[in-house]
Amino acid sequence: MKTALVTGTTSGFGRSIAIRLAKLGYNLLITGRRNDRLEELKKQLQADYSIQVMSLCFDVRDNEACTKALQNLPELFNKIDLLINNAGLAAGSSPFQESELADYDQMIDTNVKGLLYVTKLIVPGMIQRKSGHIINISSIAGIEVYPSGSVYCASKHAVNAITKGLRLDLIKHGIKVSSISPGMAETEFSIVRNHGDEEKAKAVYAGLVPLNAEDIADTVEFIITRPNHVSINDIQLNPVQQANTYVSFRKMNE
Ligand code: NDP
Ligand code: 8X3
């Protein structure tokens, strides 16, 4: 039985990915900061699937907490075959000149440094076993920069650079490194980005059918079920009504 660690499983993509991996028979390490949600998901997964689940409540921005949670895992969970770096966020949707330093720190510390902290702890075991797969959840924001998104886009451009760098350095150890770069997807992402303003969050998807978390779980399943000799480097997926970060075709009042 294979083991997967998925960060950010209390909501959105991470939650759906964890459920999908459970269906595929993976033992799971699920993580996030909201322990009530983690415990609820753990119960659900254990009830619905014949797998082992360990929940780890920590903030990926805190390297000491990452180390404490991930360094001395019990035997059953300490051979991680699949790492999905999903925990992340955008904070704020204002032009640079009106945006907050605290939001920059949160995005860079979570999306970039948090991903590095977790990956640094998991890679040595993969190297030792000469196998493993890392999937980083990036974004279309890692490919195109859009107005009022400079720091979020910078963080996802960094994720893409790290993904490519890891692929170069880990090739000799037989470790696959992939990324997924979705466009607009409706999760709690937009509520978090707009600091809890649900009306503003909803307006982001007005007149179009956004991606959903299941679409990302489908993408993960596709990537991990390719033959051993195939590496999917990146999948960029959008809603049909979103051509790129600038051009969407919205059908209003229909
Ligand atoms: P959600 O807000 O629904 O989920 C985000 C998850 O990340 C939560 O489980 C949250 O858990 C976790 N998380 C956030 N900060 C931290 C932290 N400091 N420490 C630990 N866990 C953290 O958003 P999505 O599911 O949409 O986002 C998942 C990923 O997908 C992110 O990296 C995002 O940038 C990316 N993405 C999202 C898109 C979208 O349009 N929705 C499109 C492209 C990429 P908790 O709060 O419990 O800690
Ligand atoms: C989230 C998608 O388009 O808001 O990464 O940047 S977008």
Side-chain angles (χ1 to χ4, degrees), residues 9-252:
T9 56
T10 55
S11 163
F13 298 171
R15 189 172 191 282
S16 291
I17 293 167
I19 294 169
R20 184 64 60 92
L21 293 174
K23 273 189 195 153
L24 293 170
Y26 279 78
N27 286 332
L28 283 174
L29 289 145
I30 55 173
T31 86
R33 290 166 302 177
R34 287 169 286 182
N35 201 38
D36 51 336
R37 291 194 185 199
L38 284 177
E39 287 306 318
E40 198 187 308
L41 179 61
K42 180 179 166 179
K43 259 194 220 150
Q44 183 192 327
L45 293 173
Q46 281 175 336
D48 294 349
Y49 308 97
S50 306
I51 58 159
Q52 303 290 331
V53 184
M54 183 171 182
S55 77
L56 298 165
C57 184
F58 64 93
D59 188 325
V60 296
R61 292 172 296 178
D62 179 347
N63 187 37
E64 220 175 288
C66 294
T67 307
K68 209 168 149 206
L70 297 172
Q71 204 161 51
N72 292 306
L73 289 166
E75 175 84 34
L76 187 63
F77 292 99
N78 71 3
K79 292 175 198 66
I80 292 165
D81 301 286
L82 173 63
L83 163 62
I84 304 201
N85 282 311
N86 165 75
L89 80 167
S93 51
S94 308
F96 181 81
Q97 58 277 20
E98 290 154 31
S99 57
E100 302 290 337
L101 268 179
D103 286 344
Y104 307 165
D105 283 340
Q106 196 182 6
M107 288 187 275
I108 291 168
D109 289 352
T110 309
N111 301 355
V112 184
K113 291 170 72 182
L115 179 148
L116 289 171
Y117 295 155
V118 171
T119 307
K120 188 82 178 151
L121 287 157
I122 303 308
V123 157
M126 288 183 170
I127 290 178
Q128 210 174 32
R129 293 186 297 280
K130 292 217 159 292
S131 75
H133 196 160
I134 300 168
I135 303 180
N136 292 330
I137 305 298
S138 185
S139 167
I140 192 171
I143 300 165
E144 298 167 347
V145 180
Y146 51 82
S148 300
S150 55
V151 179
Y152 178 66
C153 294
S155 75
K156 292 299 187 180
H157 275 65
V159 168
N160 289 353
I162 293 162
T163 301
K164 289 175 191 163
L166 283 169
R167 191 178 304 124
L168 293 168
D169 291 346
L170 298 178
I171 190 169
K172 61 176 180 245
H173 299 291
I175 299 166
K176 293 186 190 184
V177 187
S178 310
S179 59
I180 300 176
S181 301
M184 276 185 271
E186 193 162 10
T187 57
E188 291 179 13
F189 176 86
S190 197
I191 300 170
V192 172
R193 173 171 231 169
N194 289 293
H195 300 304
D197 184 335
E198 296 204 10
E199 216 172 297
K200 216 170 156 191
K202 196 82 198 157
V204 171
Y205 313 109
L208 57 79
V209 180
L211 298 174
N212 58 57
E214 281 298 291
D215 298 321
I216 311 309
D218 287 344
T219 310
V220 167
E221 180 170 350
F222 176 78
I223 291 175
I224 63 174
T225 52
R226 293 312 86 207
N228 275 345
H229 69 283
V230 177
S231 169
I232 303 293
N233 291 347
D234 180 56
I235 291 185
Q236 202 280 305
L237 69 159
N238 277 4
V240 168
Q241 291 171 265
Q242 183 186 18
N244 59 23
T245 55
Y246 312 102
V247 180
S248 295
F249 178 65
R250 295 177 193 263
K251 294 182 187 170
M252 307 306 264

